[in-house]
């Protein structure tokens, strides 16, 4: 490869990074439609994706060394052509084929196997890329560490751009199918460009030339790099810590941003940008140092200490210039959870800057930059010869990916449950003291070694000792003192109760949900459809929250079973806290044998169980929340309709015209009610048959419910007032809805309300 052609190939590799992240974001989102969004489902998707990348890295390393530089470049081009061709029609496989088999995938092992089967071809081809390209570009052993480091950096920076552009523009503007094809076209273009470069590099040299060049003398080994396998192992272990920290960062920044669909793009793009910049800086130094072992080990210590101290700075904003009061006001507000991106004042601009730049940089800026910087140094330790460059690079990447898988699983399934976010961060950061001590042990004299070990230990001890307990940690993100806050964190969510003067409010990952005593709106969407139904026996509530909807539905004594499916298992523990404080409704909810509280994803629950329900109530999240489109699409309403008994009733909040249009497109009979006290919120009732809206009958059935015993006195009065009138109005004309243009609906593959900035929220 002529040196003049390298910048073009670097640009090509950046473009493949852009495409890869676009595809990963879309594919993971589409798979969630049938796999669910709970931690088990998400982990099987990510693990399957990483498993393919790991196998591809191993295979690519072996292949690269056998093919030699010219043919490795050809294989790189063909691999990208394969990714592009697969991606072009991938949504048929990930959406249509998956839907036919989803109900049979009833275990984590079965889900992983199926996800791996779906993702194996494209992810293995993606994993081939860096070993093949490194073999095709590097011309001498002296270039290995800096050049492979720069390749890794440009690919990561391209991925950062892909995460940002896809998350903030492509997915919301064009939908998932078009975004995938844009990414596929980019892969095909990159393949064509690489083929042109391959032809230029191959000019004058027969294709049958020896694949493996004559063995060159190895350069002097850097000190500490005599054996490669300990560095492979160590890079796998640090990869486990790195992905564990990434899980923590996503949870914390999600709480800062209050969880909307742009949060994921913001965090991922910033993470990859920092990582890529770090790899760029590390590559500049790695080729000029004789001791990459000290650099690599010392950088791991710096990752751990900066992870602690960066978070401490976030948790203790200075009083100067009004920073601390501003931060407190921000966390007492709703953040950006309801699409509040309008900038009308300097305070609004400051909120936008703080939430999307300042706070994420404090949390993960330095540690992620240092993670990226460490790669070129470990590359210098394991790869020093051209004839083994592919294998060493592929094995190094595979070791790191295996560590990622293990670290993500242990953090998600064990550490967050046992230690919470604060304890998990402390443990992960504390583990990185070990490579710091190893770096100190490699210093040239005994006094330096002792001073280095003492300094590393003291710095880490200060950070660990200053860190708050988990409940106080999360109280900060809710803008209240720990004395007014109760926490129930698990692998899925950080769920909290905030005590105000007369009410207690539920928060999930920092986002306000609803309160106790129950409000009239949530009581009515549970109680009304049960009373409307002539003979209700089985009910389903998708979403538990503070318990109001499922509890209210169960107040109709005719219901024999009420299933309540909720992703955030900690909500049950907080309802028990309320029961312990004397809440009669919470105590009765937990003690009612008819109510089954089920941990899981509500859409997947419906998909996997064909038994019909008489009443289905979706107490859904805000439509601007990440993954909310799974519960507001036309296709979801079709799934609900298929799980309703012939005279069954479906109830949901109406957050937008698109959600109402979707229900009216699927159901022939729809009626709407409004509850003035709850932000003048409206809800709908839908069914296959004419709706039983006879007010005297409803009031007669309501008389069988002891409102005063079941609810707070004020809310019991408001419920009675609601039923005293004609509570619903009919919307039965489907022809007008069916004639609406497609942009007036939400779809599984284009959830417009969720991407509100692109679709006129």
């Amino acid at each position: 490869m002529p040196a003049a052609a390298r910048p073009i190939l670097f640009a090509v590799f950046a473009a493949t990074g852009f495409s890869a992240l676009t595809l990963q974001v879309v594919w993971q989102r589409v798979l969630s439609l049938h796999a669910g969004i709970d931690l088990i489902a998400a982990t099987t998707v990510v693990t399957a994706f990483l498993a393919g990348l790991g196998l591809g890295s191993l295979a690519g390393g072996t292949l690269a060394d056998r093919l030699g530089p010219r043919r490795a470049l050809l294989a790189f081009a063909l691999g990208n052509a394969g990714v592009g061709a697969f991606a072009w029609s991938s949504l048929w496989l990930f959406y249509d084929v998956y839907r036919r088999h989803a109900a049979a995938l009833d275990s984590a092992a079965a889900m992983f196997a199926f996800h791996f089967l779906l993702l194996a071809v494209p992810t293995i081809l993606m994993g081939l890329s860096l070993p093949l390209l490194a073999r095709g570009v590097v011309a001498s052993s002296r270039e290995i560490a800096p050049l492979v480091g720069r390749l890794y950096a440009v690919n990561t920076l391209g991925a950062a751009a892909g995460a940002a552009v896809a998350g903030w523009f492509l997915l919301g503007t064009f939908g998932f199918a078009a975004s995938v094809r844009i990414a596929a076209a980019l892969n095909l273009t990159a393949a064509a460009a690489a083929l042109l470069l391959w032809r230029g590099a191959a000019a004058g040299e027969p294709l049958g030339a020896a694949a493996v060049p004559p063995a060159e003398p190895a350069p002097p080994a850097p000190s500490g790099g005599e054996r490669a396998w300990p560095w492979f192992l160590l890079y796998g272990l640090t990869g486990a810590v790195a992905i564990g920290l990434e899980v923590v960062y996503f949870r914390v920044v999600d709480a800062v941003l209050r969880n909307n669909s742009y949060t994921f793009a913001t965090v991922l793009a910033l993470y990859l940008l920092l990582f890529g910049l770090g790899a760029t800086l590390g590559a500049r130094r790695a080729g000029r140092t004789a001791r990459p072992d000290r650099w690599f080990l010392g950088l791991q210590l710096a990752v751990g200490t900066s992870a602690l101290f960066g978070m401490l700075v976030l948790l203790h904003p200075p009083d100067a210039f009004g920073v601390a009061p501003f931060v407190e006001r921000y966390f007492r507000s709703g953040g950006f959870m309801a699409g509040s991106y309008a900038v009308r004042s300097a305070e609004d601009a400051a909120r936008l800057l703080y939430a999307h730049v300042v706070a994420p940089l404090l949390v993960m800026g330095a540690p992620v930059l240092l993670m990226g910087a460490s790669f070129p140094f470990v590359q210098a330790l394991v790869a020093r010869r051209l004839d083994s460059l592919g294998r060493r690079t592929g094995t190094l990447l595979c070791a790191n990916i295996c560590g990622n898988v293990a670290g993500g699983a242990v953090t998600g399934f064990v550490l967050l449950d046992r230690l919470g976010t604060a304890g998990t961060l402390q443990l992960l950061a504390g583990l990185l003291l070990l490579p710091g001590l190893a770096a100190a042990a490699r210093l040239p004299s005994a006094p330096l070694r002792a001073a280095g070990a003492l300094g590393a230990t003291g710095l880490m001890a200060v950070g660990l000792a200053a860190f708050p307990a988990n409940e106080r940690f999360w109280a900060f993100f809710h803008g209240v003192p720990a004395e007014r806050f109760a926490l129930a964190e698990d692998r899925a969510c950080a769920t909290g109760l905030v005590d105000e003067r007369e009410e207690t409010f539920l928060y999930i990952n920092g986002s306000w949900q609803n309160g106790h005593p129950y409000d009239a709106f949530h009581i009515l969407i549970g109680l009304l459809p049960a009373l409307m139904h002539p003979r209700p026996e089985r009910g389903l509530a998708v979403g538990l929250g503070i318990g109001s909807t499922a509890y209210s539905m169960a107040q109709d004594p005719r219901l024999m079973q009420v299933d309540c499916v909720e992703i955030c298992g900690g909500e049950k523990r907080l309802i028990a806290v309320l029961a312990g404080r004397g809440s009669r409704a919470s105590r009765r909810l937990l003690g009612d044998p008819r109510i089954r509280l089920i941990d899981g994803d509500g859409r997947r629950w419906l998909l996997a169980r064909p038994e019909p329900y008489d009443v289905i109530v979706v107490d859904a999240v805000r439509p601007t929340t990440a993954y909310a489109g799974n519960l507001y699409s036309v296709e979801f309403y079709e799934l609900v309709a298929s799980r309703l008994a012939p005279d069954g009733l479906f109830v949901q909040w109406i957050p937008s015209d698109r959600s109402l249009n979707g229900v009216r497109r699927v159901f022939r009979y729809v009626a709407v009610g409004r509850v003035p006290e709850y932000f003048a919120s409206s809800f709908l009732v839908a069914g296959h048959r004419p709706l039983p809206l006879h007010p005297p009958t409803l009031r007669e059935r309501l008389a069988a419910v002891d409102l005063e015993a079941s609810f707070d006195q004020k809310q019991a009065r408001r419920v009675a007032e609601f039923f005293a009138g004609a509570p619903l109005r009919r919307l039965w004309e489907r022809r007008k809805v069916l004639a609406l243009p497609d942009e007036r609906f939400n779809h599984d593959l284009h959830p417009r309300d969720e991407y509100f900035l692109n679709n006129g929220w």
Side-chain angles (χ1 to χ4, degrees):
M1 172 61 59
R6 283 180 181 173
I8 302 174
L9 203 55
F10 274 56
V12 167
F13 202 35
T16 64
F18 184 104
S19 171
L21 255 292
T22 302
L23 292 172
Q24 180 181 352
V25 170
V26 175
W27 286 346
Q28 185 169 345
R29 176 57 197 272
V30 172
L31 290 172
S32 78
L33 291 165
H34 307 313
I37 63 170
D38 57 330
L39 183 67
I40 292 176
T43 300
T44 61
V45 172
V46 172
T47 303
F49 201 98
L50 290 173
L53 291 178
L55 289 174
S57 297
L58 277 179
T62 302
L63 192 62
D65 290 337
R66 291 182 178 178
L67 293 176
R70 288 197 303 109
R71 289 181 175 174
L73 186 59
L74 175 61
F76 170 79
L78 295 177
N80 275 283
V83 172
F86 180 94
W88 192 266
S89 58
S90 61
L91 293 195
W92 165 78
L93 184 64
F94 293 164
Y95 186 77
D96 298 295
V97 172
Y98 196 163
R99 180 165 48 184
R100 292 198 290 269
H101 298 281
L105 305 175
D106 57 355
S107 69
M111 289 176 68
F112 169 77
F114 191 72
H115 292 153
F116 180 75
L117 185 65
L118 293 176
L119 292 163
V121 171
T123 54
I124 288 174
L125 291 175
M126 290 177 185
L128 297 173
S129 294
L130 183 57
L132 290 173
L133 197 57
R135 190 68 187 91
V137 171
V138 176
S140 71
S141 58
R142 291 187 301 274
E143 294 182 321
I144 290 176
L147 201 51
V148 175
R150 286 199 292 273
L151 281 171
Y152 192 64
V154 299
N155 186 253
T156 305
L157 292 172
V165 174
W168 282 85
F169 178 67
L170 295 180
L171 275 65
T173 303
F174 302 111
F176 299 159
S179 297
V180 161
R181 290 182 176 174
I182 290 169
L186 199 57
N187 270 107
L188 294 172
T189 303
L195 281 173
L196 290 174
L197 291 173
W198 167 77
R199 290 188 62 183
E205 187 175 346
L207 289 177
V212 179
E216 60 171 336
S223 181
E226 294 81 2
R227 293 179 297 172
W229 70 264
W231 299 106
F232 291 135
L233 178 61
L234 184 58
Y235 200 49
L237 294 175
T238 59
V241 174
I243 205 69
L245 289 173
E246 185 178 350
V247 171
V248 169
Y249 295 152
F250 270 104
R251 178 160 287 194
V252 170
V253 179
D254 185 55
V256 173
L257 290 170
R258 303 307 203 222
N259 189 266
N260 61 48
S261 291
Y262 301 98
T263 298
F264 183 74
T266 300
V267 176
L268 193 58
L270 185 58
Y271 189 98
L272 292 168
L273 175 64
L274 291 165
F275 203 98
L277 289 175
T280 302
L281 296 173
R284 294 171 63 89
R285 180 64 185 170
R288 301 197 297 267
T289 181
R291 295 302 304 258
D293 56 326
R294 291 180 190 164
W295 276 90
F296 175 74
L297 295 169
L299 284 170
Q300 301 309 311
L301 173 67
V303 168
T305 54
S306 62
L308 289 172
F309 284 101
M311 194 73 75
L312 285 170
V313 173
L314 177 75
L315 296 173
H316 299 283
D319 288 329
F321 307 107
V323 173
F326 165 78
V327 171
E328 184 177 349
R329 287 196 305 273
Y330 175 81
F331 285 114
R332 290 292 289 158
S333 74
F336 299 92
M337 65 183 178
S340 54
Y341 275 85
V343 178
R344 302 184 182 91
S345 65
E347 177 96 352
D348 288 341
R351 290 169 66 248
L352 198 67
L353 181 65
Y354 173 79
H356 290 79
V357 180
V358 175
L361 282 177
L362 286 174
V363 170
M364 62 183 184
V368 177
L369 193 75
L370 295 167
M371 289 178 200
S374 70
F375 173 76
F377 294 101
V378 74
Q379 175 77 19
L381 289 164
V382 302
R384 301 188 305 276
R385 299 173 60 100
L386 287 180
D387 56 359
S388 62
L389 172 60
R391 289 192 299 276
R392 292 295 181 92
T393 301
T395 304
L396 185 65
L397 294 174
C398 184
N400 189 251
I401 290 169
C402 290
N404 291 164
V405 172
V410 171
T411 301
F413 288 106
V414 180
L415 298 183
L416 288 176
D417 273 350
R418 301 290 180 86
L419 304 177
T421 301
T424 299
L425 179 60
Q426 288 174 286
L427 175 63
L428 294 172
L431 288 173
L432 294 179
L433 174 62
L434 299 177
L437 294 175
R442 291 168 178 261
L443 292 173
S445 67
L448 285 176
R449 289 193 289 271
L454 186 61
T457 304
L459 188 64
M460 185 67 73
V462 169
L464 292 172
F467 217 78
N470 200 45
E471 193 150 310
R472 189 170 295 277
F473 175 86
W474 276 108
F476 168 81
F477 294 103
H478 294 77
V480 295
E483 295 74 25
R484 290 169 46 202
F485 182 73
L487 176 70
E489 184 175 13
D490 61 11
R491 64 188 68 174
C493 309
T495 312
L497 290 178
V498 173
D499 295 327
E500 300 293 351
R501 290 182 180 179
E502 298 180 355
E503 293 183 81
T504 298
F505 291 98
L506 176 73
Y507 287 76
I508 298 175
N509 296 341
S511 298
W512 175 79
Q513 303 301 312
N514 53 5
H516 183 278
Y518 302 153
D519 58 83
F521 178 83
H522 287 90
I523 293 172
L524 287 167
I525 64 172
L527 181 60
L528 177 62
L531 297 180
M532 286 175 62
H533 197 286
R535 295 172 302 278
E537 293 184 4
R538 299 183 72 235
L540 170 68
V542 176
L544 173 60
I546 211 158
S548 49
T549 302
Y551 172 76
S552 301
M553 187 190 302
Q555 297 317 295
D556 188 327
R558 298 174 299 161
L559 274 164
M560 296 294 102
Q561 177 183 330
V562 176
D563 294 335
C564 182
V565 184
E566 171 58 57
I567 289 174
C568 300
E571 291 177 4
K572 295 194 295 290
R573 300 205 298 273
L574 293 182
I575 292 172
V577 170
L578 291 172
R581 294 178 180 177
S583 167
R584 182 173 51 190
S586 299
R587 190 165 55 249
R588 292 177 63 180
L589 168 67
L590 297 176
D592 192 332
R594 298 173 301 152
I595 301 176
R596 293 197 303 169
L597 302 180
I598 301 159
D599 293 342
D601 180 89
R603 177 167 175 151
R604 178 167 176 79
W605 177 269
L606 283 169
L607 186 66
R609 286 159 183 81
E611 301 85 4
Y613 285 96
D614 298 305
V615 176
I616 296 177
V617 179
V618 178
D619 186 6
V621 296
R622 296 170 183 85
T624 56
T625 303
Y627 292 92
N630 292 12
L631 299 177
Y632 288 111
S633 66
V634 170
E635 293 79 8
F636 173 68
Y637 297 137
E638 290 171 345
L639 173 61
V640 170
S642 71
R643 298 302 188 262
L644 270 181
D647 53 356
L649 297 172
F650 166 59
V651 177
Q652 189 182 54
W653 172 40
I654 306 175
S656 72
D657 289 341
R658 289 191 181 103
S659 60
L660 179 59
N661 290 341
V663 173
R664 293 178 65 192
R665 178 168 168 173
V666 172
F667 290 90
R668 183 175 180 183
Y669 302 100
V670 182
V672 170
R674 181 182 294 272
V675 182
E677 73 157 17
Y678 194 71
F679 308 107
S681 294
S682 297
F683 63 91
L684 59 87
V685 182
H688 301 300
R689 295 177 179 174
L691 302 176
L693 298 177
H694 191 232
T697 303
L698 291 177
R699 288 192 285 270
E700 180 183 337
R701 292 172 183 163
L702 180 65
V705 178
D706 188 345
L707 291 178
E708 296 295 338
S710 301
F711 304 108
D712 175 80
Q713 184 177 10
K714 180 174 67 173
Q715 300 303 350
R717 184 177 67 254
R718 292 181 177 177
V719 169
E721 291 170 355
F722 181 86
F723 280 95
L728 300 174
R729 63 184 181 91
R730 297 177 176 85
L731 291 171
W732 287 359
E733 297 181 36
R734 279 208 302 170
R735 288 177 298 174
K736 293 180 180 179
V737 176
L738 294 175
L740 291 174
D742 196 58
E743 60 264 22
R744 299 289 298 277
F745 298 91
N746 292 308
H747 290 283
D748 277 353
L749 300 183
H750 201 164
R752 292 178 172 88
D753 283 347
E754 187 178 330
Y755 291 91
F756 52 93
L757 294 177
N758 307 83
N759 292 285
W761 176 255

